[in-house]
Amino acid sequence: MDFPTTRMRRLRATGALRGLVRETDLRADRLVAPLFVSETASAREPIHGMPGVQRLPIAAAVEEAREVAALGLAAVLLFGVPAEKDSEGSAAWEEEGVVQLTTAAIKQALPELLVITDVCLCEYTDHGHCGVLTRDGRVDNDATLELLARTASSHARAGADIVAPSDMMDGRVGAIRTELDSEGLTDVPILAYSAKFASAFYGPFREATGSAPAFGDRRSYQMDPANGHEAVREALLDASEGADMVMVKPALAYGDLIRAVKRATRLPVAAYNVSGEYAMVKAAAAAGYLDERSAVCEILTSLHRAGADIVISYHSKDAARWLSEAD
């Protein structure tokens, strides 16, 4: 397969290049809003560590998507919180799983809004790791690939415009691309979490999804924050396997790597302004230590300046409102 040609065709087909221009002005159509969708929630459930962010039932997620579209944001990114978990994370690829049903509902209501789905098992496994485990408790990389590919294809069949594997298993982009192509889903792009670091900034997210590891940590498959060279190598490997876009996560402390990955891959790059980064700003603003609006706009602008074509941020809706007020 001619990956560069096919990659651009997929991106054009979904409109995913809309607004991705090389300038540093902050714009709403370069921001993505993450949404947490819960299979058990009957109403919006506040997330303690993330003021203003909630776990949503499907109907409320559609309402949020309407607001996102009205604000001119680029897309939503869906994370699922299932009713039940097991050792394999089998709820991740159910045809009527929470992400699959939410994707279908949003696309029916808002066909022009881009829907990106997170592809990982950590929200669905009872042990909280991003893959299946061996008998001695290690993550089995190769056994996990088939399950990730199955999950990604189920999302695409439900209507996802872009699938985003965040697990950090070796070879998962190639496995997902092969699975999508075999099902005739050749125009569905892959946004790979290529440089995802073992970070202290993920704590509130794990509260939101109930995905904290039951034992150990994720350092065996997430990246060492000190090893920037590996981040570039991983992004290049993902590109060689068919990734259409790549991501750096977290964002705020990794501007140098956003720039390095952009230069090395020449692909659209996403930066994920993660839950802990969001919580820091919210806490400081609540304490009166800084002006939230000014701080958020400065942070998001800096990430675009570093080379991010899109930024995934829990601040996205607020930032879009502030930008519209400034016009």
Side-chain angles (χ1 to χ4, degrees), residues 207-261:
E207 174 201 346
T209 60
S211 61
F215 61 89
D217 56 39
R218 297 177 178 146
R219 294 181 183 277
S220 65
Y221 45 97
Q222 293 181 357
M223 297 177 61
D224 178 359
N227 194 343
H229 294 298
E230 186 182 7
V232 175
R233 287 197 300 271
E234 290 287 348
L236 289 169
L237 282 170
D238 284 350
S240 72
E241 291 179 19
D244 302 284
M245 294 168 274
V246 293
M247 186 190 298
V248 176
K249 179 183 179 181
L252 190 54
Y254 294 86
D256 59 326
L257 295 178
I258 295 169
R259 173 62 65 186
V261 166

Side-chain angles (χ1 to χ4, degrees), residues 6-167:
T6 305
R7 181 178 298 134
M8 295 307 295
R9 176 167 54 81
R10 286 196 296 268
L11 290 169
R12 286 195 299 270
T14 62
L17 285 180
R18 182 183 61 218
L20 303 190
V21 296
R22 297 309 319 137
E23 58 186 46
T24 59
D25 288 343
L26 184 59
R27 299 207 317 257
D29 64 359
R30 302 176 73 188
L31 300 173
V32 173
L35 303 180
F36 297 104
V37 189
S38 172
E39 194 168 18
T40 60
S42 58
R44 295 170 180 260
E45 298 175 348
I47 299 166
H48 175 72
M50 302 173 69
V53 180
Q54 303 158 326
R55 282 180 291 270
L56 306 168
I58 293 174
V62 175
E63 291 174 6
E64 285 289 308
R66 289 187 189 279
E67 187 173 357
V68 163
L71 288 167
L73 297 177
V76 293
L77 171 60
L78 301 183
F79 295 92
V81 184
E84 296 183 2
K85 305 187 180 191
D86 59 29
S87 61
E88 286 192 324
S90 61
W93 58 84
E94 289 181 356
E95 292 300 315
E96 295 191 354
V98 65
V99 167
Q100 290 83 347
L101 292 177
T102 304
T103 298
I106 291 174
K107 293 305 294 184
Q108 181 176 10
L110 300 155
E112 298 303 314
L113 179 66
L114 287 177
V115 174
I116 308 170
T117 58
D118 179 80
V119 177
C120 193
L121 301 183
C122 66
E123 300 106 305
Y124 303 90
T125 55
D126 53 16
H127 47 72
H129 282 283
C130 298
V132 294
L133 303 179
T134 61
R135 291 191 177 187
D136 60 358
R138 293 178 294 107
V139 173
D140 188 331
N141 186 102
D142 293 352
T144 301
L145 299 184
E146 178 187 353
L147 306 183
L148 294 168
R150 193 182 304 176
T151 301
S153 65
S154 74
H155 291 177
R157 287 194 301 272
D161 297 292
I162 300 170
V163 294
S166 63
D167 55 284

